[in-house]
Amino acid sequence: MKLLRLVAIAGAACLAAGNAFAASTNVAVAANFTDAAKEIAAAFKQKTGHEAVLSFGSSGQLFTQINQDAPFQVFLSADAARPEKLADSAPGVAGSNFTYAIGKLVLWSKAPDAVKGEQTLKDGKFAKLSICNPVAAPYGAAAVATMKSLKVYDNLKPKLVEGANITQAYQFVQTGNAEVGFVALSQVINDKDGSRWVVPQNLYAPIRQDAVLLKKGADNEAATAFMSFLKGPEARAIIEKYGYQAGERS
Amino acid sequence: MGGLPDDIWQPVRLTIELAAITTVILLVIGTPIAWWLARSKARWKEGVAAVVALPLVLPPTVLGFYLLVLLGPDGPGGALANLWGGRTLAFTFAGLVIGSVIYSMPFVVQPIRNAFAAIGDRPLEVAATLRASPTRAFWTVAIPLARPGFLSGAVLGFAHTVGEFGIVLMIGGNIPGSTKVLSVAIYDYVETSQWREASILAGGMAVFAFVVILTMMLLEKRTARIRG
C-alpha cells in the first residue's frame, strides 16, 4: 500500500506541476500540413513549454469527428469553409477562425524529366495522373480547377486516379503507380530528385487553410497560446519554409 | 429503391464480384495450405501458419503501402501488368483481387485447417487399408468430412472481402466500375457529406453482416448436431 500511496502522491505532484508550468492541447491537423505542424509544435514547446499533441487526418474526417464531440481543442484545416462552419456552430469559438497558410499546388513526378510545365498536361503522355478527392479535399478541387483552366480536364479524366487524401495522392506518384500527380508543394519541398511544376496561382482559387479554436480549448492556455503562436514570426517562417504562403500576422 | 442514385449499384455489383472471385481463389489455394498445416509434421509449420495469419494484425495501411510498391512498375505486379501492356496493377480490379486474397487468407485457411485437423488419422488409415490411394482418400474421405470447415471458410472469406476497406482505399484509386467497391463508396459519401446515401449503403451492409453471422451460427449448430 505504501507504494500505491507514493504513486498517488507522485501523480498528484506531476499534475500540479503540469498545471503550474505547462499545459497540453490536442490539435487536429489536416494531412497536408503534417511536417510543418510537427516543426511548429516543437518550436511552440521550446518557446512556451506547452505541448501540442497532434492528430492528423483529412479535413473532412476531422471535421466530422469534431462535430461528433471529438476531444480536439484546435483545428488546422486544409480549407477555409470548414473552420468557418465550426466557428458559426456549437463546437467552435465564434470569430476565432483565421488563415494560417495558403497552400501551393504542384504537378510532380518521380522521374527527373517527366514534368515540364503545363505542356505535360496538354501532351498527356502518361497512363495515370493522381489527384485527391476533388469534392472532399481542397487540393483535389484545385487540381480539377487547374485542368479546367488549361482546358485539358476532359482529355485527362480517364487517366485520373483518386487518393482519399493528399498523402495518398502523393503515395501513388511516390511508388510510381501513377507517373504524375497533383500534390501539395509542402509534400515535395524536400524531394530533391524528380520533376515539378508549381502551378501558377491564377489557374485555381487560392487554397486558404484556416485554423479555428474549439470550445473544448477555449479555457486552455495551451490552446489559445498555440493559436497566437501560429500568427507569430517563428511559425510563419516555418510555414514559408514548407512551401506555403504564410497567412495572418499577429 | 426510391430516389437512389444509379451509381449506387455499380459498387454493389463490383463488391460481390470481388468477393466471389477472391473466395474461389482462396478455396483453391487455401485448401492445400490448410491440408499441409493440419497434417504436416514439419518443425517450421507454425512459422508458415503465422505468416498466413499476419494480415489479421498488420494495419491495412501498412499492407496497403507494401502492396502499392509490389504492384507498382518497380515490383512484380508491374512486370505482370506488362504482359497486357499495363504499367501497374494498382488501380485495377486484378490488383484488388491480389490484395483481397492476401488479406482474407487467414479467414479461409483457418476454418479449413481446423476441420482437417478434427478428422484425425483414423478415417484416412481406414481408407488406406481399404486400398484407397492417398489422393482418393483426400477427395472421398477428407473433403466430405471437412465440409463444414469449407462452408465457414467460404462464408467468412466472402464476408471479410466485402467489408475490406483500408487496403482497397490504398491501392484502388477510387475508380468507378473497377476499384470503387462498397466500403470505399460509403467512405466517399461520408467524406462528401452525403449522409443519406452513406446510411443506406451502411445499413445494407449491416443487414448483410447480420445474415452472414446468423448463417455461420446455424451452420455450427447443425454440425454439432451431426457430430453429437
Side-chain angles (χ1 to χ4, degrees):
Chain A
M1 279 341 278
K2 245 198 193 139
L3 183 68
L4 254 180
R5 201 175 314 156
L6 268 180
V7 169
I9 290 169
C14 280
L15 277 175
N19 287 342
F21 301 114
S24 90
T25 176
N26 291 339
V27 184
V29 182
N32 78 78
F33 203 64
T34 300
D35 293 341
K38 283 179 183 163
E39 194 163 327
I40 289 171
F44 176 65
K45 186 169 183 178
Q46 208 171 14
K47 193 179 173 186
T48 63
H50 296 314
E51 183 97 39
V53 181
L54 309 174
S55 306
F56 304 101
S58 83
S59 302
Q61 225 173 339
L62 295 168
F63 175 77
T64 306
Q65 290 174 355
I66 289 164
N67 276 318
Q68 300 301 326
D69 212 38
F72 297 124
Q73 301 181 325
V74 175
F75 176 37
L76 305 191
S77 184
D79 68 348
R82 289 188 179 91
E84 196 176 330
K85 270 192 201 133
L86 286 169
D88 292 343
S89 61
V93 175
S96 67
N97 51 324
F98 71 91
T99 302
Y100 66 92
I102 295 159
K104 293 178 185 169
L105 184 71
V106 63
L107 184 69
W108 185 73
S109 170
K110 213 171 60 159
D113 43 12
V115 175
K116 297 189 175 75
E118 60 184 67
Q119 203 51 43
T120 305
L121 293 171
K122 286 176 174 160
D123 296 343
K125 290 200 179 95
F126 42 78
K128 298 288 180 207
L129 165 67
S130 86
I131 60 172
C132 54
N133 185 327
V135 188
Y139 281 90
V144 170
T146 299
M147 289 186 277
K148 283 185 172 161
S149 306
L150 296 171
K151 301 193 171 53
V152 292
Y153 181 64
D154 293 337
N155 286 341
L156 295 179
K157 206 170 173 199
K159 301 185 174 186
L160 297 182
V161 289
E162 229 177 73
N165 56 41
I166 194 82
T167 308
Q168 260 190 35
Y170 172 62
Q171 267 174 3
F172 288 155
V173 198
Q174 195 189 15
T175 54
N177 284 294
E179 300 99 308
V180 284
F182 279 107
V183 297
L185 177 60
S186 53
Q187 289 172 294
V188 295
I189 199 90
N190 295 323
D191 280 320
K192 291 289 168 274
D193 37 4
S195 51
R196 70 188 62 187
W197 173 51
V198 181
V199 180
Q201 293 272 7
N202 60 356
L203 294 179
Y204 61 95
I207 305 170
R208 274 179 42 210
Q209 301 199 186
D210 283 16
V212 63
L213 180 66
L214 302 168
K215 283 217 177 69
K216 286 187 192 302
D219 304 325
N220 179 352
E221 197 194 333
T224 47
F226 188 78
M227 287 291 279
S228 36
F229 186 80
L230 271 180
K231 298 179 188 171
E234 300 95 334
R236 289 173 55 87
I238 295 169
I239 290 167
E240 300 265 349
K241 184 178 110 181
Y242 276 94
Y244 302 88
Q245 222 173 300
E248 280 179 36
R249 278 173 209 287
S250 49
Chain B
M1 300 295 269
L4 267 185
D6 295 337
D7 58 14
I8 239 171
W9 290 110
Q10 199 176 35
V12 173
R13 239 197 343 266
L14 194 67
T15 306
I16 293 171
E17 261 172 46
L18 177 67
I21 293 172
T22 302
T23 307
V24 170
I25 292 178
L26 275 173
L27 286 174
V28 172
I29 61 176
T31 304
I33 295 175
W35 179 252
W36 182 80
L37 287 176
R39 312 279 311 166
S40 163
K41 305 273 188 287
R43 271 242 217 80
W44 41 283
K45 183 175 84 171
E46 291 312 325
V48 175
V51 170
V52 170
L54 270 186
L56 291 173
V57 291
L58 277 181
T61 40
V62 173
L63 220 49
F65 188 75
Y66 284 146
L67 275 168
L68 257 189
V69 174
L70 289 174
L71 297 175
D74 306 330
L80 209 61
N82 268 332
L83 300 178
W84 53 90
R87 273 185 72 258
T88 168
L89 281 181
F91 324 127
T92 64
F93 186 74
L96 289 198
V97 171
I98 294 172
S100 307
V101 163
I102 293 171
Y103 196 50
S104 294
M105 188 172 284
F107 291 84
V108 179
V109 169
Q110 207 49 45
I112 300 178
R113 176 191 176 174
N114 293 344
F116 280 149
I119 296 170
D121 292 339
R122 186 125 184 84
L124 296 164
E125 282 165 4
V126 172
T129 54
L130 296 172
R131 286 208 228 144
S133 67
T135 322
R136 190 162 166 212
F138 174 78
W139 285 105
T140 55
V141 178
I143 296 267
L145 281 175
R147 212 179 62 183
F150 280 99
L151 266 176
S152 359
V155 174
L156 277 177
F158 189 92
H160 189 249
T161 307
V162 167
E164 188 183 327
F165 168 67
I167 289 193
V168 177
L169 192 76
M170 297 253 334
I171 63 176
N174 200 5
I175 300 164
S178 60
T179 62
K180 189 171 185 169
V181 297
L182 261 176
S183 54
V184 175
I186 292 178
Y187 177 80
D188 234 30
Y189 284 132
V190 171
E191 281 286 277
T192 52
S193 305
Q194 292 169 273
W195 294 104
R196 199 176 132 267
E197 288 85 351
S199 315
I200 291 168
L201 282 187
M205 277 179 98
V207 171
F208 167 78
F210 174 77
V211 171
V212 166
I213 293 164
L214 196 68
T215 312
M216 292 292 305
M217 287 178 168
L218 293 175
L219 279 176
E220 300 260 319
K221 224 167 134 178
R222 228 189 67 188
T223 322
R225 250 211 324 271
I226 293 168
R227 290 252 164 104

